[in-house]
Amino acid sequence: MPIVLDNDPGDRVAQYAWDGAAWRKAALPLGYTDRYAERQSELSAAAGGNTLTGSTVPAGEVWIVTSAHAVNESSAITILQIDLYDGTNNFIIASLLAPAARIPLDLKSPIVLKAGDRLRALFFGCTLNDDLYLDILGYKMAVT
């Protein structure tokens, strides 16, 4: 027999869940929709600072980034940084001072991105025509 919480059995029953002690309003469900895999690159970087930017999370989705890898394949730089950019603010997630050529900066823990967010790799102190890469892996979830 279905559980009815009030006099209208078709309205809110699906919105509640048993938490082991009581019926409570259910949390917002998330549903896996796709893998998130992206590579950004610049094979002819400008001297000085360069930025590689991942895709922006669209409305109605949450992306969980499980791995991010940024590297300058060509030369040593002064700073390599991965940040989360929400369109206004940038939040530094990882930073590496004075990496030699081919020494990567890797994300150490998962990051949750909401609508409007994107990951970026910032390369400071590049030499003209350096080869820069940003690889991002994770998964996408629909917010229903």
Side-chain angles (χ1 to χ4, degrees):
M1 169 170 244
I3 296 173
V4 178
L5 299 176
D6 60 16
N7 291 330
D8 186 2
D11 67 342
R12 290 183 262 163
V13 174
Q15 296 176 17
Y16 285 78
W18 181 255
D19 70 1
W23 284 97
R24 302 192 196 281
K25 186 151 177 69
L28 187 64
L30 297 173
Y32 172 89
T33 56
D34 200 359
R35 172 184 65 167
Y36 172 41
E38 179 172 14
R39 169 170 267 195
Q40 295 292 327
S41 63
E42 175 58 65
L43 303 181
S44 186
N50 290 271
T51 302
L52 297 178
T53 304
S55 298
T56 302
V57 179
E61 291 186 3
V62 171
W63 294 357
I64 292 77
V65 174
T66 56
S67 172
H69 175 93
V71 66
N72 181 331
E73 288 285 336
S74 304
S75 63
I77 58 176
T78 56
I79 300 173
L80 176 54
Q81 178 177 304
I82 296 175
D83 73 15
L84 183 155
Y85 182 66
D86 68 5
T88 303
N89 303 298
N90 61 300
F91 304 93
I92 299 170
I93 297 169
S95 186
L96 184 59
L97 295 176
R102 295 181 296 286
I103 299 298
L105 175 59
D106 293 313
L107 186 66
K108 301 295 184 204
S109 62
I111 301 294
V112 178
L113 305 178
K114 66 176 191 162
D117 289 349
R118 56 192 167 268
L119 281 189
R120 302 186 309 180
L122 291 83
F123 302 81
F124 298 94
C126 293
T127 302
L128 183 64
N129 295 323
D130 279 355
D131 295 341
L132 312 177
Y133 295 93
L134 170 62
D135 294 317
I136 308 169
L137 296 171
Y139 55 96
K140 300 176 182 182
M141 300 185 84
V143 179
T144 59

